Amino acid sequence: MESRDDFLSILPFFPLILRSSAVFWPPIVVEALKSLSKGPSHSNVNSGHLFSIAVSDLRSSLGEYTLSPSASLGLSVFFDDLMSEDEAGKWFKEMVPRLADLLLRLPELLEIHYHHAGGFCGTETGLRLLGSQQPGIVLLSQELIAALLVCALFCLFPTTNRGAEHLPPINFDSLFVCLYECYDLNQEHKIKCLVHYFEKICLDMPSGNVSFERKVLPLKNSQSHIAYPEPDFWSKSTVSLCQFKVLSSGLIEDQSVEALEVDFANKYIGGGALSRGCVQEEIRFMINPELIVSMLFLPSMADNEAIEIVGAQRFSNYSGYAKSFRFCGHHEDNSSVDVMGRRKTRIIAIDALCSPGKRQYKLDCLLRETNKAFCGFLDQHKHQLHQNLFDESKNGISTTEDLSSSSQEDNQSRRETQSIKRQSDQCPNQEEQIGVATGNWGCGAFGGDPEIKAVVQWLAVSQALRPFILYYTFSLEPLQKLERVVQWILAHEWSVGELWSILVEYSAQRVSGKARVGFFKWLLPSLHVDDPMVLDVPGTM
């Protein structure tokens, strides 16, 4: 273990010690966890109050501060007051011992992980700190994820140096602080989702895998990867716009086709999931708790980065949003599984500009948002294959199986392209019919213009060669005309470059004050006087 760079990069953020090429819990922690694993008759931990004392003692044994008084009182409130007596009795008698036993196995699970952490499709998958501008994938078993989440529940991860590495907090203590200091019913229900997850994995440990990928658009030109695009990249694009389906009801996570599901993320992935937050990203992290592990080793995202998580299992149903969020019982996740053992649930975390105001119409902000979405939706491998085939076609190289008429050099190029295609076919995340399911990204609390954000995402999905976009409007009033605008644009067969140029023109007028209406009304004013015939685009047709 001590010779592995991947492990050494994450070791400072673990509560374990490394000795003789192996990792261990400190002996005093082992004794405490063994006591908890034998149940309340041995440990005497049969209440939220006593549980908080046990957690504080464990933290002290690791050289961390004891739990704050508010966190301790929050644990007491939840397990002693908000849980029924029967539920609390079962939690301390059955669940806490199993969770303690899982924590005892954390060193073993890490050893197994690194023993099997090899490459897949040429990519290393070992658990490591995936720092900024470092593209890569971490593949974790659901059992290891469960152990890491128990570690977070018990608040055992070190808290020092996380801020210096731009890592968000990972321990659960802030959840209970918020519950005590300013009680909200939605906060109680967030914790209910997590408790439900722990109860389910104690009874039936899932056996699949989850992958976590930092995706990067290089800031410098690269032969093997598409670099961070400049405005000319977008204005000159001849890629056709993909199909666009508008849905006024429903939820992104409930879509029934295979699609990348957009997480309206904070640049610190997870946002306020482990504190007071309770909007789109935080809710997704509560119903799919395995997503929380990303907060352990993925620092904040830069403008040219996105995070893709594949395989996270959903455990909870819910209703409401923000203040009205409520846990609604168990969710049976019947998603199919790929060859890597991951559920075919693909979540793309992209962070929008926060409170951009009028500057969101400036070219640099338009470019930033479009490139951010493009980074999330792009499959670099698939795009490289597309470019190779395009170059062959442009150079007149035969695309038949008969290579006899081509030169030896052309044959070599052809074989390389075929090799790329075979690799693409073997990698499970290269399936060509995977579109994007999204909605009002960067709007709401972030203050983005919904009409602009819808168009920006359409451009990014199309340029990333995705076949479709499912857009959930959540009945937002500014998007009532979205479907008709989309139909008009598709009927006129605009390319990505043409739509981008129109968007840039509108935005420039918005900045200068020449345009004072929304993009849809500026583009198609007749739509807003209920004229079914839209014949002109001012200043463009």
Side-chain angles (χ1 to χ4, degrees):
M1 296 280 279
E2 61 188 1
S3 63
R4 297 191 64 109
D5 290 339
D6 49 7
F7 171 70
L8 293 177
S9 74
I10 197 70
L11 180 60
F13 306 100
F14 271 122
L16 304 170
I17 55 177
L18 176 64
R19 185 183 301 154
S20 302
S21 298
V23 287
F24 301 90
W25 286 110
I28 190 171
V29 173
V30 171
E31 291 306 311
L33 290 176
K34 283 183 176 179
S35 177
L36 285 171
S37 72
K38 294 176 182 178
S41 61
H42 189 276
S43 67
N44 295 319
V45 175
N46 58 6
S47 70
H49 172 65
L50 294 173
F51 183 49
S52 70
I53 294 174
V55 168
S56 285
D57 289 346
L58 282 168
R59 285 172 59 86
S60 296
S61 300
L62 292 165
E64 293 288 322
Y65 293 112
T66 58
L67 279 182
S68 71
S70 291
S72 295
L73 289 167
L75 282 163
S76 297
V77 166
F78 185 83
F79 290 107
D80 298 337
D81 300 334
L82 301 178
M83 254 191 175
S84 71
E85 187 175 342
D86 288 343
E87 288 173 330
K90 182 177 181 181
W91 173 262
F92 292 110
K93 184 177 180 180
E94 299 180 23
M95 303 308 163
V96 169
R98 293 176 185 178
L99 296 177
D101 188 62
L102 186 57
L103 269 184
L104 284 167
R105 294 188 56 234
L106 177 58
E108 173 195 351
L109 292 171
L110 285 169
E111 295 273 3
I112 293 170
H113 165 75
Y114 286 109
H115 178 74
H116 293 289
F120 192 88
C121 292
T123 304
E124 292 300 316
T125 61
L127 176 59
R128 61 199 183 278
L129 188 68
L130 274 180
S132 184
Q133 309 304 316
Q134 296 177 18
I137 296 178
V138 167
L139 183 70
L140 304 177
S141 71
Q142 288 182 277
E143 186 174 22
L144 175 54
I145 289 172
L148 294 172
L149 290 178
V150 177
C151 197
L153 172 67
F154 281 50
C155 305
L156 302 184
F157 286 111
T159 56
T160 55
N161 297 325
R162 292 190 64 82
E165 293 291 342
H166 305 287
L167 287 163
I170 183 67
N171 290 325
F172 287 7
D173 50 333
S174 290
L175 277 170
F176 294 95
V177 168
C178 295
L179 182 68
Y180 173 75
E181 291 187 347
C182 188
Y183 172 82
D184 271 320
L185 193 55
N186 64 352
Q187 193 73 6
E188 175 186 343
H189 282 261
K190 283 175 63 179
I191 298 173
K192 282 185 175 181
C193 288
L194 298 176
V195 167
H196 175 70
Y197 162 77
F198 288 119
E199 290 173 345
K200 296 306 291 185
I201 60 102
C202 281
L203 298 174
D204 184 18
M205 179 64 71
S207 58
N209 297 311
V210 182
S211 66
F212 304 80
E213 178 181 5
R214 182 180 289 275
K215 305 174 77 170
V216 180
L217 288 175
L219 295 175
K220 296 182 179 179
N221 289 331
S222 166
Q223 289 186 344
S224 59
H225 292 84
I226 292 177
Y228 191 79
E230 297 296 334
D232 279 357
F233 172 95
W234 293 102
S235 62
K236 294 178 180 179
S237 173
T238 58
V239 172
S240 298
L241 292 167
C242 70
Q243 291 301 305
F244 193 122
K245 184 174 182 179
V246 179
L247 299 154
S248 59
S249 62
L251 300 168
I252 293 170
E253 60 269 21
D254 291 334
Q255 56 85 24
S256 59
V257 299
E258 285 196 41
L260 304 178
E261 300 172 5
V262 177
D263 164 18
F264 306 163
N266 189 288
K267 72 175 182 178
Y268 289 93
I269 191 164
L274 299 183
S275 55
R276 297 199 60 78
C278 198
V279 288
Q280 196 256 9
E281 178 173 41
E282 290 87 358
I283 289 173
R284 196 66 198 266
F285 274 55
M286 293 302 102
I287 65 174
N288 294 67
E290 291 163 334
L291 298 174
I292 295 171
V293 169
S294 64
M295 301 167 73
L296 174 63
F297 56 89
L298 283 163
S300 61
M301 290 179 275
D303 288 347
N304 63 326
E305 297 180 324
I307 292 171
E308 179 171 351
I309 302 174
V310 182
Q313 183 174 342
R314 180 174 171 181
F315 287 84
S316 296
N317 290 314
Y318 75 97
S319 64
Y321 192 79
K323 290 283 188 180
S324 64
F325 173 78
R326 301 292 183 268
F327 167 68
C328 292
H330 179 65
H331 176 85
E332 194 63 40
D333 192 335
N334 295 314
S335 305
S336 57
V337 176
D338 68 16
V339 297
M340 294 175 71
R342 306 174 302 179
R343 293 175 183 271
K344 293 183 180 180
T345 299
R346 303 168 175 87
I347 295 171
I348 298 292
I350 49 175
D351 57 301
L353 291 169
C354 187
S355 303
K358 194 172 181 178
R359 68 186 178 94
Q360 67 185 297
Y361 303 106
K362 293 184 177 181
L363 182 59
D364 61 334
C365 289
L366 278 181
L367 184 66
R368 189 270 182 198
E369 299 297 78
T370 310
N371 285 348
K372 170 66 72 166
F374 181 53
C375 181
F377 306 151
L378 176 66
D379 182 333
Q380 287 272 17
H381 189 91
K382 175 181 173 182
H383 224 282
Q384 185 62 41
L385 172 63
H386 179 272
Q387 187 61 46
N388 286 349
L389 295 174
F390 174 78
D391 290 344
E392 281 193 354
S393 176
K394 185 172 66 173
N395 294 327
I397 298 174
S398 170
T399 57
T400 66
E401 289 301 316
D402 182 9
L403 300 179
S404 59
S405 62
S406 300
S407 68
Q408 184 174 359
E409 183 179 343
D410 288 344
N411 289 349
Q412 178 62 27
S413 174
R414 176 79 191 287
R415 283 192 292 270
E416 289 174 356
T417 299
Q418 289 177 330
S419 175
I420 291 171
K421 177 137 188 351
R422 283 194 296 271
Q423 293 175 28
S424 175
D425 292 340
Q426 292 166 6
C427 294
N429 62 342
Q430 311 301 323
E431 299 166 34
E432 299 215 351
Q433 297 309 308
I434 299 173
V436 173
T438 188
N440 308 321
W441 169 60
C443 305
F446 271 49
D449 181 328
E451 298 177 22
I452 299 299
K453 283 296 195 292
V455 174
V456 159
Q457 291 184 86
W458 193 10
L459 291 167
V461 171
S462 302
Q463 188 65 39
L465 306 181
R466 297 289 175 180
F468 62 84
I469 180 172
L470 302 177
Y471 196 99
Y472 293 82
T473 67
F474 304 101
S475 300
L476 195 66
E477 193 278 333
L479 298 180
Q480 288 184 356
K481 306 290 185 179
L482 175 59
E483 185 167 14
R484 294 179 68 185
V485 171
V486 165
Q487 289 173 349
W488 188 90
I489 291 173
L490 287 174
H492 285 73
E493 299 183 345
W494 281 1
S495 67
V496 166
E498 289 168 323
L499 181 55
W500 166 264
S501 297
I502 293 295
L503 183 63
V504 169
E505 180 183 347
Y506 163 77
S507 298
Q509 291 189 20
R510 189 68 183 264
V511 170
S512 68
K514 293 180 181 178
R516 299 179 181 275
V517 298
F519 178 64
F520 296 168
K521 188 172 184 178
W522 176 87
L523 180 67
L524 301 173
S526 299
L527 279 180
H528 295 264
V529 292
D530 296 323
D531 184 345
M533 298 298 293
V534 180
L535 301 177
D536 196 14
V537 179
T540 63
M541 301 295 287

